[in-house]
Each structure stands twice: as structure tokens, then as C-alpha cells.
Amino acid sequence: MIANRLGHPHLGMGVGLRTVHFDYILENHPPVDWFEIISENFMDSRGRPRYVLEQIAERYPVVMHGVSLSIGSTDQLNFEYLPKLKALANEIKPLWISDHVCWTGVAGRNTHDLLPMPLTEASLKHVVERIRTVQDFLERPFVFENPSTYVGFTGSTLSEWEFIARMAEDANCGLLLDVNNVYVSSVNHDFDPEEFIRSVPHERVVQFHLAGHTNRQTHLIDTHDNHVVDPVWNLYRLAHQLTGGVSTLLEWDAKIPPFPVLHAEVLKAKQHIGEELADTRIATVSMEQETDAMGISEDDLAVPHPLHHIAAEVI
Ligand SMILES: [Fe+2]
């Protein structure tokens, strides 16, 4: 029985809130346990997105997940971004706020991607100091996620799990363990994903992410556009055992299926950890319903990213 999670509750099985599901959620109030929002989708918006979010936050627990903090960059921390993040949190009252262990740009330029950290003592010290500053400013512990990565630095001297474990302890922050990202990176960099999951400080894991990815044979890409694969479910089971169970969230960001398919996918997690499904209707979404809704074009094969859901969707 590890679960400490910085005192945060186990919210159950949730899904990422995406614009295409706004109407369905408002009309049907599906029995999903909680939602995760992309912070940047709502920070500068009023109007309908904010109205919908307020409706949802009244009925469901909500957590904020960002993609622009750039905690690893050598640029100064962005004190235009952070006050907006804090203001949104004060309004929405999320259970916690998360972002990624990465950098998104340097020298004032934004790559709109989650870039890998050099895994060295110097970058660890740099990130820990910045996390402390962010947490002091936001007046709450922050939660950091391991990203999927495709390249690494030859100068790295630490494994990713050593870096993340020491970062979490030294900065006193929480961890969002993205189990799919562990698997994607383990294939791309040829490491043992179980060692990663066994090595992070389990009492600091506040949340899990699950998602599908694309297998390009020579490497995996974190596309968030499909079902969760069996090796990831196996790792999820291990992570569940080691942490004692934490809030679990399914991300689906491209070829987004109808809401019942999304919900059914995250509820599979219950079966993988030996829990009963309370509502069997949710778990039996027909294949036709799924394929109809997924109406996929070749254009969708571009690598998706949560950032794609910022400007385009917030209208
Ligand atoms: Fe994730």
C-alpha cells in the first residue's frame, strides 16, 4: 500500500476533454470519473470553451495539464504564461496541475514540441531550481510527466528514470507517469520499461496516462490516435501494483472516436487491475459505431500533439 500521491485523491478512470465531445458531455453527462483539460486551450479564451469548462467543472473533478511550461529550457521562466496559468487554476480549481519534463524552445523561439532533456547533473540542478520557483509562484506542488522521446543527448550521464526520480525528490514535486510514453521511449532507446517503472518514487506518482501510439517498425511515435496496446496494459498493471493505484487518464488526440469509445477504452483499465465494470453498456461499444466515427483520412497520419488542439480548436 504505497499511495501517498502528495495527498491527492484517486479520482478513478478519466479521459482528456476535447472540443469534439463538448456537446455529447453537456447533453448526456456520461458517468466518467474525471476530466483532464489542456490548460492552454482555456487560458486565453472566454466564450463557449470557458462556458463549457465551467459546466463540466461543476459536475466532474478536473485536472489541468499543460504543454508550454518549458521547465527544462535555459530561457527565463515565462512570467507572462505563469500568471495566466495561476488565474485559470484559481477559477477552475483543478485537483492538480501538470506539464512535462522537457523544453519546448530556446532563445525566445517555440518549437511547439516536447523536446528531450540532456540527462546530466547540470540539467537536473537547473530543472529542480526552476520547479521550485514555479511551485512557489503557483503556491502548490506541481506534477511532471515523462514525455515520449525519439533522440537523446550523447552527453547524458543519467538514465531517464534516475533523472526523474531525483528531480521529484529534490524539487518535492509530483509525477505523472505516462505508461505509454515509457513504452514508446523504451523501444526507441532500447531500455527496459519495467526498470523505469520500478525505479520512480511510487509515492510521488499522482496520475497515470494511457494512450495509443503508431508503430513505424524502426521506432514508435506517440500519436495518441488508437487503442492502448497489450504491452502498455502490462506495464500499467505493474505500475498499478507498485503505486497502490492512482488516477488514470486516457489521452486520445487524433482520429478521435465518439465519446463512448473513449470511455470504454479507459474502463478497460479496470479489467486490467481486476476491478469489476459497473456499467457493462459502456464497455460494449460496437465495432461499427467505432469505425464510423473514426472516419480517418491520410491527413490524420501526421504526428499529433496536444498543441494541435490549442489554436485550432478554441474558437
Ligand atoms: Fe501523456
Side-chain angles (χ1 to χ4, degrees):
M1 252 311 176
I2 289 282
N4 164 343
R5 318 178 202 106
L6 304 189
H8 291 307
H10 183 342
L11 299 176
M13 306 298 171
V15 297
L17 178 65
R18 302 295 181 258
T19 317
V20 290
H21 295 137
F22 279 2
D23 288 343
Y24 180 88
I25 295 164
L26 292 185
E27 281 164 26
N28 297 282
H29 301 133
V32 64
D33 292 337
W34 61 288
F35 285 102
E36 181 186 77
I37 65 163
I38 303 292
S39 310
E40 290 81 357
N41 280 354
F42 299 93
M43 278 169 47
D44 292 315
S45 72
R46 287 276 151 195
R48 180 165 159 78
R50 188 63 81 90
Y51 167 79
V52 172
L53 176 57
E54 283 161 10
Q55 300 291 306
I56 288 172
E58 272 182 23
R59 196 174 275 267
Y60 300 93
V62 168
V63 158
M64 282 168 51
H65 182 55
V67 290
S68 306
L69 182 60
S70 198
I71 197 71
S73 177
T74 50
D75 278 355
Q76 299 229 318
L77 279 168
N78 186 341
F79 278 95
E80 284 177 25
Y81 174 82
L82 282 167
K84 289 187 201 168
L85 192 68
K86 189 171 184 176
L88 181 64
N90 287 342
E91 256 183 72
I92 301 302
K93 309 212 178 328
L95 274 299
W96 58 85
I97 313 173
S98 63
D99 205 298
H100 302 80
V101 186
C102 74
W103 53 293
T104 58
V106 72
R109 302 185 66 150
N110 193 342
T111 66
H112 297 289
D113 216 333
L114 309 175
L115 301 169
M117 295 295 300
L119 304 171
T120 64
E121 295 290 341
S123 70
L124 178 61
K125 183 166 176 283
H126 173 72
V127 165
V128 166
E129 280 169 11
R130 285 162 67 94
I131 294 175
R132 289 211 186 107
T133 305
V134 167
Q135 294 184 143
D136 286 349
F137 178 78
L138 295 175
E139 300 173 287
R140 58 166 82 208
F142 210 86
V143 177
F144 284 93
E145 171 181 355
N146 57 295
S148 282
T149 58
Y150 309 93
V151 292
F153 288 85
T154 52
S156 289
T157 54
L158 302 166
S159 65
E160 188 183 354
W161 51 95
E162 283 173 313
F163 187 94
I164 284 177
R166 286 180 53 195
M167 178 199 81
E169 297 293 350
D170 293 354
N172 195 21
C173 65
L175 294 176
L176 193 175
L177 183 61
D178 187 315
V179 182
N180 179 61
N181 288 354
V182 171
Y183 182 70
V184 166
S185 294
S186 77
V187 172
N188 292 345
H189 301 296
D190 194 24
F191 64 72
D192 176 4
E194 290 197 7
E195 186 176 1
F196 189 123
I197 285 172
R198 288 185 194 283
S199 304
V200 293
H202 301 123
E203 73 286 357
R204 290 190 177 274
V205 178
V206 171
Q207 180 189 338
F208 294 137
H209 268 172
L210 293 166
H213 59 254
T214 298
N215 188 339
R216 292 282 170 88
Q217 305 309 319
T218 53
H219 60 288
L220 305 185
I221 302 181
D222 182 30
T223 43
H224 294 186
D225 64 349
N226 215 327
H227 296 275
V228 179
V229 299
D230 284 343
V232 172
W233 284 125
N234 293 339
L235 292 173
Y236 173 72
R237 256 196 316 275
L238 174 66
H240 173 80
Q241 286 162 7
L242 293 170
T243 56
V246 304
S247 306
T248 297
L249 192 288
L250 177 73
E251 300 180 289
W252 204 314
D253 289 298
K255 307 175 198 167
I256 300 177
F259 194 87
V261 176
L262 195 68
H263 195 191
E265 186 70 9
V266 76
L267 290 179
K268 288 178 188 171
K270 290 196 175 205
Q271 294 168 308
H272 284 280
I273 57 176
E275 285 181 22
E276 297 275 313
L277 283 178
D279 188 343
T280 47
R281 286 171 301 146
I282 295 167
T284 52
V285 175
S286 77
M287 283 306 285
E288 282 132 35
Q289 191 179 357
E290 178 170 348
T291 359
D292 281 358
M294 288 182 79
I296 297 159
S297 75
E298 282 299 306
D299 292 344
D300 293 325
L301 291 174
V303 179
H305 184 282
L307 283 168
H308 293 178
H309 292 267
I310 298 178
E313 288 209 343
V314 181
I315 299 169

